[in-house]
Amino acid sequence: MYVATELIKSQIDDFFNDGYIVLKDFFTNEQLDSIEKAFVRLYAMQAAKILKYRNKLSHGDRILEYSDSDDLIEILELMEAFDKEVLYQVQKLATNSYFLKQFVVNQKLIKFSSQLLNCPKEIVLFDDVGLLINRPQTKRLLYKWHSEAHFYPKRQNFLNLYFPLFFEKNLENGHMLMAKKSHKLYDIPFIEYQGFDTDSFGKKNHFLQMQVPDSIVDNYEKIPAVINRCDAILFHRNLIHSSTPNVSSKYSFAGVCRIWEHKK
C-alpha cells in the first residue's frame, strides 16, 4: 500500500481554505495500540496509588495487566464516583511517559506539520499528547465553541492534531464540531468562565471555557469530525470548534496535541 510521506498541494490548499484537513488511515493500528496502552497504564498508576481505588480495581497494582478500554473505563468510573480531581492529575504524568513521547516522533507527522507551519522540520515542536474523555450523558468534560488561539495567544504559528482512540468517532458518541472557514477570523471575542451551562457555572472540576458567541459561529457551516480510528485531523490555530455531548451508552476518546514552531 502506498503511504504518502508529504502533503500534496491540494491538501495544503484545503487546510488554509477550510481551516482543517482530514487524513484517512494516518496512523497504524500498532501506533495507536501503543499510545492507548500508555494512557490506560497512566490512569492505572494514578489509581493504584490510592488504597481506596486499588482495592476495587480488577488488577490491583499490577500495572502491566491494564491494557484496554474496559480497564480504562473501570478506572474512570471509580474516579468519577470518588474523586474527579484525580482525572486531571494524570495529564501531568503524561509529560514523563516515554511511550507518549515516542508517539509524536513520527516522521510523517513532522513532515506534514512542517509543510503547514512553513518551517524546516528540524524546528517543529510538539506539546504533550492529551486524552479527551467523552463520558456518556456527561457535560462536565466538554468544551463550548472556542479557538485554541485564545488559550495560547502568544503562539502565532501552531496547529492542532485530533484523532480517535480505542473507537471511531460517530454522530452519537461525542465528536468535535468544526466551524468551517472560521479560522479566517482574527481578534475573535470570547467569554471566559468555568463550567458548561447554567447548572454548572463556576463549579470545580469543570473545564475553563473561552466561549465564542453563537452569533459569530452561526455564520459558518458546521462540520462533524466523524472519523475512524487511525484517521486524524489537523486544524488551524484559529479554527472555531466545540465538543458535542455523548448521547450513546459507551465512552469515547480522542488524542490531541498542539504542534508549533518558535519563530513567531
Side-chain angles (χ1 to χ4, degrees):
M1 182 180 71
Y2 171 73
V3 178
T5 56
E6 64 180 19
L7 296 171
I8 61 175
K9 183 178 183 300
S10 62
Q11 290 175 304
I12 297 173
D13 290 344
D14 286 345
F15 178 85
F16 287 105
N17 185 52
D18 297 335
Y20 67 93
I21 51 172
V22 178
L23 303 169
K24 304 299 289 184
D25 297 316
F26 183 77
F27 295 111
T28 66
N29 280 313
E30 291 75 17
Q31 288 172 322
L32 293 187
D33 285 345
S34 176
I35 191 174
E36 287 165 353
K37 287 181 181 178
F39 272 121
V40 173
R41 288 165 181 169
L42 286 173
Y43 276 89
M45 284 190 286
Q46 183 69 26
K49 286 171 55 180
I50 304 169
L51 184 61
K52 177 170 60 176
Y53 294 160
R54 190 189 314 149
N55 290 340
K56 295 178 180 292
L57 292 172
S58 298
H59 307 299
D61 60 358
R62 300 182 300 279
I63 302 302
L64 294 186
E65 293 184 18
Y66 298 90
S67 62
D68 59 24
S69 60
D70 288 340
D71 292 329
L72 178 57
I73 291 167
E74 176 190 40
I75 296 166
L76 293 174
E77 284 299 296
L78 279 173
M79 292 179 173
E80 188 72 23
F82 295 110
D83 186 2
K84 295 178 176 63
E85 183 63 28
V86 177
L87 283 169
Y88 305 108
Q89 301 305 315
V90 178
Q91 191 58 40
K92 297 177 182 178
L93 295 178
T95 63
N96 300 303
S97 168
Y98 164 78
F99 290 98
L100 296 186
K101 290 180 184 297
Q102 184 184 50
F103 179 77
V104 297
V105 185
N106 177 316
Q107 293 302 311
K108 183 168 63 171
L109 179 58
I110 292 170
K111 177 61 178 177
F112 286 16
S113 300
S114 73
Q115 289 179 273
L116 296 175
L117 294 171
N118 192 28
C119 72
K121 65 180 184 179
E122 289 81 4
I123 66 170
V124 172
L125 302 172
F126 289 84
D127 282 349
D128 298 303
V129 181
L131 181 67
L132 289 180
I133 301 166
N134 205 319
R135 185 174 184 263
Q137 317 302 323
T138 301
K139 296 180 179 180
R140 185 174 58 80
L141 302 173
L142 303 179
Y143 283 106
K144 295 282 194 175
W145 289 109
H146 66 285
S147 164
E148 297 299 319
H150 289 152
F151 289 90
Y152 294 87
K154 292 187 178 181
R155 289 187 186 171
Q156 297 302 303
N157 194 22
F158 73 87
L159 52 87
N160 306 278
L161 172 69
Y162 173 94
F163 55 101
L165 287 171
F166 300 103
F167 317 109
E168 68 175 11
K169 281 288 187 177
N170 59 48
L171 291 174
E172 302 295 321
N173 68 1
H175 56 278
M176 179 172 66
L177 199 59
M178 302 177 289
K180 186 176 180 179
K181 300 183 185 296
S182 62
H183 67 297
K184 297 179 181 181
L185 285 175
Y186 284 86
D187 197 23
I188 307 169
F190 64 90
I191 305 164
E192 184 175 342
Y193 62 94
Q194 190 164 7
F196 184 78
D197 50 24
T198 53
D199 293 334
S200 60
F201 183 80
K203 285 189 176 180
K204 186 180 178 183
N205 298 320
H206 284 70
F207 285 157
L208 174 67
Q209 306 285 349
M210 295 189 180
Q211 183 182 354
V212 176
D214 289 342
S215 59
I216 292 175
V217 183
D218 287 345
N219 296 317
Y220 296 94
E221 180 184 1
K222 313 306 186 300
I223 304 296
V226 174
I227 54 176
N228 294 323
R229 183 178 177 275
C230 294
D231 296 343
I233 293 176
L234 288 171
F235 64 97
H236 195 278
R237 68 185 289 274
N238 286 345
L239 188 75
I240 301 172
H241 58 288
S242 72
S243 310
T244 59
N246 184 348
V247 297
S248 76
S249 60
K250 297 181 179 180
Y251 273 81
S252 71
F253 305 91
V256 291
C257 181
R258 294 182 185 89
I259 307 167
W260 55 294
E261 59 92 7
H262 195 60
K263 292 188 300 180
K264 297 180 182 179

Coordinates of all heavy atoms in Angstrom, one line a residue, residues 77-139:
E77 N -14.6 5.3 36.0 CA -15.8 5.3 36.7 C -15.5 5.4 38.2 O -16.3 6.0 39.0 CB -16.6 4.0 36.4 CG -17.3 4.1 35.1 CD -18.3 5.2 35.0 OE1 -19.3 5.2 35.7 OE2 -18.1 6.2 34.2
L78 N -14.4 4.8 38.7 CA -14.1 4.9 40.1 C -13.7 6.4 40.4 O -14.1 6.9 41.4 CB -12.9 4.0 40.4 CG -13.2 2.6 40.7 CD1 -11.8 1.8 40.8 CD2 -14.0 2.4 41.9
M79 N -12.9 7.0 39.5 CA -12.5 8.4 39.7 C -13.7 9.3 39.7 O -13.8 10.3 40.5 CB -11.5 8.8 38.7 CG -10.2 8.1 38.8 SD -9.0 8.6 37.5 CE -7.5 7.8 38.1
E80 N -14.7 9.0 38.8 CA -15.9 9.9 38.7 C -16.7 9.8 40.0 O -17.3 10.8 40.4 CB -16.7 9.4 37.5 CG -17.9 10.3 37.1 CD -17.4 11.6 36.5 OE1 -16.3 11.7 35.9 OE2 -18.2 12.6 36.6
A81 N -16.7 8.6 40.5 CA -17.5 8.4 41.7 C -16.9 9.0 43.0 O -17.6 9.5 43.9 CB -17.8 6.9 41.9
F82 N -15.6 8.9 43.1 CA -14.9 9.2 44.4 C -14.1 10.5 44.4 O -14.1 11.2 45.4 CB -14.1 8.1 44.8 CG -14.8 6.8 45.2 CD1 -14.7 5.7 44.4 CD2 -15.6 6.8 46.3 CE1 -15.4 4.6 44.7 CE2 -16.3 5.6 46.6 CZ -16.2 4.5 45.8
D83 N -13.5 10.8 43.2 CA -12.6 12.0 43.2 C -12.3 12.4 41.8 O -11.4 12.0 41.2 CB -11.3 11.6 44.0 CG -10.4 12.8 44.1 OD1 -10.8 13.9 43.7 OD2 -9.2 12.7 44.6
K84 N -13.1 13.4 41.3 CA -13.0 13.8 39.9 C -11.7 14.5 39.7 O -11.1 14.5 38.6 CB -14.2 14.7 39.6 CG -15.5 14.1 39.6 CD -16.6 15.1 39.2 CE -18.0 14.4 39.1 NZ -18.4 13.8 40.4
E85 N -11.1 15.1 40.7 CA -9.9 15.9 40.6 C -8.7 15.0 40.1 O -7.8 15.4 39.4 CB -9.5 16.5 41.9 CG -8.2 17.4 41.9 CD -8.4 18.6 40.9 OE1 -9.5 19.1 40.7 OE2 -7.4 19.0 40.4
V86 N -8.8 13.7 40.5 CA -7.7 12.7 40.1 C -7.6 12.6 38.6 O -6.5 12.4 38.0 CB -8.0 11.4 40.7 CG1 -6.9 10.4 40.3 CG2 -8.0 11.4 42.2
L87 N -8.7 12.8 37.9 CA -8.7 12.7 36.4 C -7.7 13.7 35.8 O -7.0 13.4 34.9 CB -10.1 13.1 35.9 CG -11.2 12.0 35.9 CD1 -12.5 12.6 35.6 CD2 -10.8 10.8 35.0
Y88 N -7.6 14.9 36.4 CA -6.8 16.0 35.9 C -5.3 15.8 36.2 O -4.4 16.4 35.6 CB -7.3 17.3 36.4 CG -8.7 17.6 36.0 CD1 -9.7 17.5 37.0 CD2 -9.1 17.8 34.7 CE1 -11.0 17.7 36.8 CE2 -10.5 18.0 34.5 CZ -11.4 17.9 35.5 OH -12.7 18.1 35.2
Q89 N -5.0 14.9 37.2 CA -3.6 14.7 37.6 C -2.9 13.8 36.7 O -1.7 13.9 36.6 CB -3.6 14.1 39.0 CG -4.3 15.0 40.1 CD -3.7 16.4 40.2 OE1 -2.5 16.6 40.1 NE2 -4.6 17.4 40.3
V90 N -3.6 13.0 35.9 CA -2.9 12.1 35.1 C -2.2 12.8 33.9 O -1.1 12.3 33.5 CB -4.0 11.0 34.5 CG1 -3.3 10.1 33.5 CG2 -4.6 10.3 35.6
Q91 N -2.7 13.9 33.4 CA -2.1 14.6 32.3 C -0.7 15.0 32.7 O 0.2 15.1 31.9 CB -2.9 15.8 31.9 CG -2.4 16.4 30.6 CD -2.4 15.4 29.4 OE1 -3.3 14.6 29.3 NE2 -1.4 15.5 28.6
K92 N -0.5 15.3 34.0 CA 0.9 15.7 34.5 C 1.8 14.5 34.4 O 3.0 14.7 34.1 CB 0.8 16.2 35.9 CG 0.0 17.4 36.1 CD -0.1 17.8 37.6 CE -1.0 19.1 37.7 NZ -1.1 19.5 39.2
L93 N 1.3 13.3 34.6 CA 2.2 12.1 34.4 C 2.5 11.9 32.9 O 3.6 11.4 32.6 CB 1.4 10.8 34.8 CG 1.1 10.7 36.3 CD1 0.3 9.4 36.6 CD2 2.4 10.8 37.2
A94 N 1.6 12.3 32.0 CA 1.8 12.1 30.6 C 3.1 12.8 30.1 O 3.7 12.3 29.1 CB 0.6 12.6 29.8
T95 N 3.4 13.9 30.7 CA 4.6 14.6 30.2 C 5.9 13.8 30.4 O 6.9 14.1 29.8 CB 4.8 16.0 31.0 OG1 5.0 15.7 32.4 CG2 3.5 16.8 30.8
N96 N 5.8 12.8 31.2 CA 7.0 12.0 31.5 C 6.9 10.6 30.9 O 7.8 9.7 31.2 CB 7.2 11.9 33.0 CG 7.4 13.2 33.7 OD1 8.3 13.9 33.3 ND2 6.5 13.5 34.7
S97 N 5.9 10.3 30.1 CA 5.8 9.0 29.5 C 6.6 8.8 28.3 O 6.5 9.5 27.3 CB 4.3 8.7 29.2 OG 4.2 7.5 28.4
Y98 N 7.5 7.8 28.3 CA 8.3 7.5 27.2 C 7.5 7.2 26.0 O 7.7 7.6 24.8 CB 9.3 6.3 27.5 CG 9.9 5.7 26.3 CD1 11.0 6.3 25.6 CD2 9.4 4.5 25.8 CE1 11.5 5.7 24.5 CE2 9.9 3.9 24.7 CZ 11.0 4.5 24.0 OH 11.5 3.9 22.9
F99 N 6.4 6.4 26.2 CA 5.6 5.9 25.0 C 4.8 7.0 24.4 O 4.6 7.0 23.2 CB 4.7 4.8 25.5 CG 5.4 3.5 25.8 CD1 5.8 3.2 27.1 CD2 5.8 2.6 24.8 CE1 6.5 2.0 27.4 CE2 6.5 1.5 25.0 CZ 6.8 1.1 26.3
L100 N 4.4 8.0 25.2 CA 3.7 9.1 24.6 C 4.7 10.0 23.9 O 4.3 10.6 22.8 CB 3.0 9.9 25.7 CG 1.8 9.2 26.4 CD1 1.1 10.1 27.3 CD2 0.8 8.6 25.4
K101 N 5.9 10.2 24.4 CA 6.9 11.0 23.7 C 7.3 10.3 22.4 O 7.5 10.9 21.3 CB 8.1 11.2 24.6 CG 7.8 12.1 25.8 CD 9.1 12.3 26.6 CE 8.8 13.1 27.8 NZ 8.4 14.5 27.5
Q102 N 7.4 9.0 22.4 CA 7.8 8.2 21.2 C 6.7 8.4 20.2 O 7.0 8.4 19.0 CB 7.9 6.8 21.6 CG 8.4 5.9 20.5 CD 8.5 4.4 20.9 OE1 7.5 3.9 21.5 NE2 9.6 3.8 20.7
F103 N 5.4 8.5 20.6 CA 4.3 8.6 19.6 C 4.5 9.7 18.7 O 4.2 9.6 17.5 CB 3.0 8.6 20.4 CG 1.8 8.7 19.5 CD1 1.3 7.6 18.9 CD2 1.1 9.9 19.3 CE1 0.2 7.6 18.1 CE2 0.0 10.0 18.5 CZ -0.4 8.8 17.9
V104 N 4.9 10.9 19.2 CA 5.0 12.1 18.3 C 6.3 12.1 17.5 O 6.4 13.0 16.7 CB 4.8 13.4 19.1 CG1 3.5 13.4 19.8 CG2 5.9 13.5 20.2
V105 N 7.2 11.2 17.8 CA 8.4 11.1 16.9 C 8.0 10.3 15.7 O 8.5 9.2 15.5 CB 9.6 10.5 17.7 CG1 10.8 10.5 16.8 CG2 9.8 11.2 19.0
N106 N 7.2 10.9 14.9 CA 6.5 10.3 13.8 C 7.0 11.2 12.6 O 6.5 12.3 12.4 CB 5.0 10.3 14.0 CG 4.2 9.8 12.8 OD1 4.5 10.1 11.6 ND2 3.2 9.0 13.1
Q107 N 7.8 10.6 11.7 CA 8.4 11.4 10.6 C 7.3 11.9 9.7 O 7.5 13.0 9.1 CB 9.4 10.5 9.9 CG 10.6 10.2 10.7 CD 11.4 11.4 11.2 OE1 11.6 12.4 10.5 NE2 11.6 11.4 12.5
K108 N 6.3 11.2 9.4 CA 5.2 11.7 8.5 C 4.5 12.9 9.2 O 4.3 13.9 8.5 CB 4.3 10.5 8.3 CG 3.2 10.9 7.3 CD 2.4 9.7 6.8 CE 1.7 9.0 7.9 NZ 0.7 8.0 7.4
L109 N 4.2 12.8 10.5 CA 3.6 13.9 11.2 C 4.5 15.1 11.2 O 4.0 16.2 11.0 CB 3.2 13.4 12.6 CG 2.5 14.5 13.4 CD1 1.2 15.0 12.8 CD2 2.2 13.9 14.8
I110 N 5.8 14.9 11.4 CA 6.7 16.0 11.5 C 6.8 16.7 10.1 O 6.7 17.9 10.0 CB 8.1 15.5 11.9 CG1 8.1 15.1 13.4 CG2 9.1 16.6 11.7 CD1 9.3 14.3 13.8
K111 N 6.8 15.9 9.0 CA 6.9 16.5 7.7 C 5.6 17.2 7.3 O 5.7 18.4 6.8 CB 7.1 15.3 6.7 CG 7.1 15.8 5.2 CD 8.2 16.8 4.9 CE 8.2 17.2 3.5 NZ 9.3 18.3 3.2
F112 N 4.4 16.6 7.6 CA 3.2 17.3 7.3 C 3.1 18.6 8.1 O 2.7 19.7 7.5 CB 2.0 16.4 7.7 CG 1.7 15.3 6.8 CD1 2.7 14.8 5.8 CD2 0.5 14.6 6.8 CE1 2.5 13.8 5.0 CE2 0.3 13.5 6.0 CZ 1.3 13.1 5.0
S113 N 3.5 18.6 9.3 CA 3.4 19.8 10.2 C 4.3 20.9 9.7 O 4.0 22.0 9.6 CB 3.8 19.4 11.6 OG 2.9 18.5 12.1
S114 N 5.5 20.5 9.2 CA 6.5 21.5 8.7 C 6.0 22.1 7.5 O 6.2 23.3 7.3 CB 7.9 20.8 8.5 OG 7.8 20.0 7.3
Q115 N 5.2 21.4 6.7 CA 4.6 22.0 5.5 C 3.6 23.0 5.8 O 3.5 24.1 5.2 CB 4.0 20.9 4.6 CG 5.1 20.0 3.9 CD 4.4 18.9 3.1 OE1 4.0 17.8 3.6 NE2 4.1 19.2 1.8
L116 N 2.7 22.7 6.8 CA 1.6 23.6 7.1 C 2.1 24.8 7.9 O 1.5 25.9 7.9 CB 0.5 22.8 7.9 CG -0.2 21.7 7.1 CD1 -1.1 20.9 8.0 CD2 -0.9 22.2 5.9
L117 N 3.1 24.6 8.7 CA 3.7 25.7 9.5 C 4.7 26.5 8.7 O 5.2 27.5 9.2 CB 4.4 25.1 10.8 CG 3.5 24.4 11.8 CD1 4.4 23.7 12.9 CD2 2.6 25.4 12.4
N118 N 5.1 26.0 7.5 CA 6.0 26.6 6.6 C 7.4 26.9 7.3 O 7.9 28.0 7.4 CB 5.4 27.9 6.1 CG 6.3 28.5 5.0 OD1 7.0 27.8 4.2 ND2 6.3 29.8 4.8
C119 N 7.9 25.8 7.9 CA 9.2 25.9 8.6 C 9.9 24.6 8.4 O 9.3 23.6 8.1 CB 8.9 26.2 10.1 SG 8.3 24.8 11.0
P120 N 11.2 24.6 8.6 CA 12.0 23.4 8.5 C 11.5 22.4 9.5 O 11.2 22.7 10.7 CB 13.5 23.8 8.8 CG 13.5 25.3 8.5 CD 12.1 25.8 8.9
K121 N 11.6 21.1 9.1 CA 11.1 20.1 10.1 C 11.9 20.0 11.3 O 11.5 19.5 12.4 CB 11.0 18.7 9.4 CG 12.3 18.1 8.9 CD 12.1 16.8 8.3 CE 13.4 16.1 7.9 NZ 13.2 14.8 7.2
E122 N 13.2 20.4 11.2 CA 14.1 20.4 12.3 C 13.7 21.3 13.5 O 14.2 21.1 14.6 CB 15.5 20.7 11.9 CG 16.2 19.7 11.0 CD 15.8 19.8 9.6 OE1 15.0 20.7 9.2 OE2 16.2 18.9 8.8
I123 N 12.8 22.2 13.3 CA 12.4 23.1 14.3 C 10.9 23.0 14.7 O 10.4 23.8 15.5 CB 12.7 24.6 14.0 CG1 11.8 25.1 12.8 CG2 14.2 24.8 13.7 CD1 11.9 26.6 12.6
V124 N 10.3 21.9 14.2 CA 8.9 21.6 14.7 C 8.9 21.1 16.1 O 9.7 20.3 16.5 CB 8.3 20.6 13.7 CG1 6.9 20.1 14.3 CG2 8.1 21.1 12.3
L125 N 8.0 21.7 16.9 CA 7.9 21.4 18.3 C 6.5 20.8 18.6 O 5.5 21.1 18.0 CB 8.1 22.6 19.2 CG 9.5 23.3 19.0 CD1 9.4 24.7 19.8 CD2 10.6 22.5 19.4
F126 N 6.5 19.8 19.6 CA 5.3 19.2 20.0 C 5.0 19.4 21.5 O 5.9 19.2 22.3 CB 5.4 17.7 19.7 CG 5.4 17.3 18.3 CD1 6.5 17.3 17.5 CD2 4.2 16.9 17.7 CE1 6.6 16.9 16.2 CE2 4.2 16.5 16.3 CZ 5.4 16.5 15.6
D127 N 3.7 19.8 21.8 CA 3.3 19.7 23.1 C 3.0 18.3 23.5 O 2.9 17.4 22.6 CB 2.0 20.6 23.4 CG 2.4 22.0 23.5 OD1 3.6 22.4 23.6 OD2 1.4 22.9 23.4
D128 N 2.8 18.0 24.8 CA 2.4 16.6 25.2 C 1.1 16.2 24.6 O 0.1 17.0 24.5 CB 2.4 16.5 26.7 CG 3.8 16.8 27.3 OD1 4.8 16.2 26.9 OD2 3.9 17.8 28.1
V129 N 1.0 14.9 24.3 CA -0.3 14.4 23.8 C -1.3 14.3 25.0 O -0.9 13.8 26.1 CB -0.1 13.0 23.2 CG1 -1.4 12.4 22.7 CG2 0.9 13.1 22.1
G130 N -2.5 14.7 24.8 CA -3.5 14.7 25.8 C -4.6 13.7 25.4 O -4.8 13.4 24.3
L131 N -5.4 13.3 26.4 CA -6.6 12.4 26.2 C -7.8 13.2 26.5 O -8.0 13.6 27.6 CB -6.4 11.2 27.1 CG -7.6 10.2 26.9 CD1 -7.5 9.5 25.5 CD2 -7.5 9.1 28.0
L132 N -8.7 13.3 25.5 CA -10.0 13.9 25.7 C -11.0 12.8 26.0 O -11.1 11.8 25.2 CB -10.5 14.7 24.5 CG -9.8 16.0 24.2 CD1 -10.4 16.7 23.0 CD2 -9.9 17.0 25.4
I133 N -11.7 12.8 27.1 CA -12.6 11.8 27.5 C -14.0 12.3 27.4 O -14.4 13.4 27.9 CB -12.4 11.4 29.0 CG1 -10.9 11.0 29.2 CG2 -13.4 10.4 29.5 CD1 -10.5 10.9 30.7
N134 N -14.9 11.5 26.7 CA -16.3 11.9 26.5 C -17.1 10.8 27.1 O -17.4 9.8 26.5 CB -16.6 12.1 25.0 CG -17.8 13.1 24.9 OD1 -18.7 13.0 25.6 ND2 -17.7 13.9 23.9
R135 N -17.5 11.1 28.4 CA -18.3 10.1 29.2 C -19.8 10.2 28.8 O -20.3 11.3 28.5 CB -18.1 10.4 30.6 CG -18.8 9.4 31.6 CD -18.4 9.8 33.0 NE -18.9 8.9 34.0 CZ -20.1 9.0 34.7 NH1 -20.8 10.2 34.5 NH2 -20.5 8.1 35.5
P136 N -20.4 9.1 28.7 CA -21.9 9.1 28.3 C -22.7 10.0 29.2 O -22.5 10.0 30.4 CB -22.3 7.7 28.4 CG -21.0 6.9 28.2 CD -19.9 7.7 28.8
Q137 N -23.5 10.8 28.6 CA -24.5 11.6 29.3 C -23.8 12.6 30.3 O -24.4 12.9 31.4 CB -25.5 10.8 30.1 CG -26.1 9.6 29.2 CD -26.7 10.0 27.9 OE1 -27.4 11.0 27.9 NE2 -26.5 9.2 26.9
T138 N -22.6 13.1 30.0 CA -21.9 13.9 31.0 C -21.4 15.2 30.2 O -20.7 15.1 29.2 CB -20.7 13.1 31.5 OG1 -21.1 12.0 32.2 CG2 -19.9 14.0 32.5
K139 N -21.7 16.3 30.8 CA -21.3 17.6 30.2 C -20.0 18.2 30.8 O -19.5 19.1 30.3 CB -22.4 18.6 30.3 CG -23.7 18.2 29.5 CD -24.8 19.3 29.7 CE -26.0 18.9 28.9 NZ -27.1 20.0 29.1

